[in-house]
Amino acid sequence: MVAITIRPPSTSALHRTSSSLHRRLSSRLGSCSFKKAPRVHLKMFGKSISIAFDCKHSTVVNGQCLHCDQRMPDDYSVAFDYIFEGLRLSLDEIARLKVTNSDKVFCQKKLHLVLDLDHTLLHTKAFEKLTPEESYLKEQTDSDTSNGSLFVLNDHYLVKLRPFVRTFLKEASSMFQIYVCSMGSRSYVKKVAQFLDPEGKYFDTRLIAREDFGQKSKKNLNLVLGQDYGTVIVDDTQSVWSDHLNNLITVKRYNYFTDHDRSSNRKSHAEMKTDESESDGELVNVLGVLTRVHGCFFDSPMDVKDVRSQSTSLPKGNARQCLMSPSFKPSSLVFPAQNHSARCSDIQHASDHMKQNTERAPAYIRKVEEDTRLGKICDDGR
């Protein structure tokens, strides 16, 4: 004798204890539903069998599907431990979240920004690798993470923040949803991120570390919950982004301490007690590039937009060269899947908008406008 009933699943131990988990995942994943899948309950010869009905296993935590409670293989789909330890998402769910999250971010007039850490935003050096002329720095570290720029990490390392980085993050966060993507370990990335973002205003949990990458020598955008066409990358190393060169702005490497791999005998900033310029350094110029890319994306009258170029990539090399280069045409970027060759022919209205806000604009914007003669910030179609 076989008895069959179809009804919602009974309240499992996971379901009873996971309401707070659901809330945390929903806040971190954005548009995410944890509705339980209906189940078929069979009773065969005195034994009960419960089978999930049409569950796609889109969200798995610690090996168990949140929708149907089924146990899944340890290597199921793609791990998103940086969001929540033990979280795995199906490929369909990742694709869905990339679209919905980008839609939400675009509605806030923001794009996605992926930032490297080492030699891009900061420089870290072990105590034992400091030169004798740099050892004085161990006595000049800061304890105030909200204002300082030189910190001790784990009693064995010095971390020096790049000049202008705090203003850079503050201004960039108004235009971008920011991710950190580093080849450093997760523990290192989390600790260093606290120096950059002590109040957690800019990164939240969006800290991608080397444990998250299958290929340890390469980075990718697979774990960024945003559409590639709305994502800009800033990194000092081009080779690690070989699959996303059209999204990449390569910046000048920041070396505050001695570079032991250097071929010249030039002293370090630390040895000479100097540093990059706070008002005219690399991050000032990077912010100018990002401001122009953001303006072209949202101020363009075109319906289909893309931060990648159909014919040329974002400019590589020193960010100042990017600003000054005549080949820098971010507005020619359109969605590759579309058969569009249209370009942002004249962004006079964007220039006018910038001029109207000159008095309110921070100094770096006014400086970029002066340095690059910001009359037309996009390709004129010629």
Side-chain angles (χ1 to χ4, degrees):
M1 175 178 163
V2 179
I4 302 176
T5 60
I6 300 178
R7 57 185 174 83
S10 60
T11 304
S12 66
L14 175 66
H15 186 58
R16 287 194 303 269
T17 60
S18 63
S19 59
S20 62
L21 169 63
H22 288 182
R23 287 195 297 272
R24 280 183 286 170
L25 286 177
S26 294
S27 66
R28 295 177 184 183
L29 292 176
S31 174
C32 196
S33 171
F34 300 108
K35 183 178 180 181
K36 286 286 182 177
R39 305 178 71 87
V40 176
H41 296 269
L42 302 147
K43 192 169 184 179
M44 303 176 64
F45 307 107
K47 293 184 178 181
S48 297
I49 302 174
S50 179
I51 303 173
F53 179 73
D54 195 30
C55 182
K56 300 184 183 299
H57 312 305
S58 61
T59 309
V60 173
V61 174
N62 296 326
Q64 190 164 1
C65 177
L66 288 189
H67 304 279
C68 70
D69 299 345
Q70 181 175 326
R71 297 297 304 178
M72 306 300 293
D74 291 341
D75 61 350
Y76 175 77
S77 201
V78 181
F80 278 77
D81 290 314
Y82 80 88
I83 295 177
F84 191 90
E85 188 173 358
L87 173 65
R88 287 181 170 269
L89 301 175
S90 69
L91 296 179
D92 287 344
E93 182 67 359
I94 295 169
R96 187 189 72 83
L97 287 171
K98 279 178 173 283
V99 172
T100 55
N101 191 42
S102 281
D103 288 346
K104 178 181 177 181
V105 169
F106 294 163
C107 285
Q108 297 170 352
K109 206 171 182 180
K110 290 186 177 183
L111 297 170
H112 305 282
L113 177 62
V114 178
L115 297 175
D116 175 48
L117 284 179
D118 295 286
H119 300 291
T120 297
L121 301 182
L122 51 87
H123 190 190
T124 300
K125 202 73 167 181
F127 283 171
E128 63 267 23
K129 292 187 177 181
L130 295 172
T131 67
E133 294 175 87
E134 295 173 334
S135 60
Y136 72 94
L137 290 169
K138 291 187 286 186
E139 308 301 324
Q140 297 186 8
T141 58
D142 300 303
S143 57
D144 183 0
T145 57
S146 62
N147 291 308
S149 64
L150 183 66
F151 305 100
V152 175
L153 176 65
N154 295 341
D155 297 323
H156 294 293
Y157 299 90
L158 282 180
V159 178
K160 174 64 174 67
L161 305 189
R162 196 167 198 164
F164 193 71
V165 68
R166 295 191 187 280
T167 303
F168 172 83
L169 291 174
K170 179 181 178 181
E171 299 298 334
S173 67
S174 69
M175 300 181 286
F176 296 86
Q177 181 185 70
I178 303 177
Y179 286 78
V180 165
C181 187
S182 171
M183 286 297 188
S185 68
R186 193 180 310 283
S187 61
Y188 168 77
V189 170
K190 285 184 175 181
K191 289 178 180 178
V192 168
Q194 290 176 353
F195 297 143
L196 293 165
D197 184 19
E199 297 179 13
K201 296 186 296 185
Y202 308 133
F203 308 142
D204 194 26
T205 62
R206 297 183 295 273
L207 304 172
I208 303 173
R210 70 178 176 215
E211 291 90 337
D212 299 305
F213 295 109
Q215 292 180 279
K216 302 303 180 184
S217 61
K218 290 179 65 176
K219 299 178 181 179
N220 58 65
L221 296 178
N222 296 347
L223 298 177
V224 174
L225 294 180
Q227 300 277 54
D228 287 7
Y229 69 84
T231 303
V232 181
I233 304 163
V234 175
D235 202 315
D236 68 286
T237 307
Q238 180 176 332
S239 59
V240 298
W241 291 104
S242 57
D243 294 334
H244 301 283
L245 291 178
N246 288 346
N247 298 81
L248 177 66
I249 299 173
T250 310
V251 298
K252 183 179 178 181
R253 185 179 178 90
Y254 180 54
N255 282 318
Y256 180 74
F257 306 104
T258 300
D259 182 1
H260 292 284
D261 297 327
R262 65 188 179 186
S263 56
S264 69
N265 293 320
R266 183 179 178 182
K267 289 188 174 183
S268 68
H269 281 301
E271 290 172 327
M272 296 188 295
K273 299 183 180 181
T274 61
D275 207 345
E276 278 188 2
S277 171
E278 180 80 21
S279 60
D280 194 27
E282 187 73 354
L283 290 183
V284 178
N285 300 314
V286 171
L287 187 58
V289 175
L290 294 176
T291 301
R292 293 173 65 178
V293 171
H294 178 273
C296 285
F297 187 94
F298 287 105
D299 293 338
S300 168
M302 302 305 302
D303 291 332
V304 182
K305 307 169 188 181
D306 196 327
V307 300
R308 304 164 298 187
S309 173
Q310 204 168 8
S311 57
T312 60
S313 65
L314 285 168
K316 308 301 184 290
N318 184 282
R320 174 166 291 284
Q321 295 173 351
C322 295
L323 280 170
M324 304 302 290
S325 172
S327 66
F328 178 37
K329 303 167 183 177
S331 66
S332 64
L333 313 173
V334 296
F335 197 155
Q338 302 294 327
N339 230 351
H340 271 282
S341 60
R343 297 185 175 188
C344 196
S345 61
D346 189 357
I347 306 293
Q348 188 62 50
H349 68 281
S351 177
D352 293 341
H353 175 75
M354 291 287 288
K355 290 176 181 177
Q356 290 169 8
N357 291 279
T358 297
E359 294 302 318
R360 293 184 299 163
Y364 70 86
I365 292 294
R366 296 197 295 271
K367 187 175 189 309
V368 166
E369 186 167 4
E370 293 168 2
D371 287 354
T372 61
R373 298 179 181 178
L374 192 58
K376 291 184 179 179
I377 61 176
C378 298
D379 184 16
D380 61 5
R382 291 179 294 181

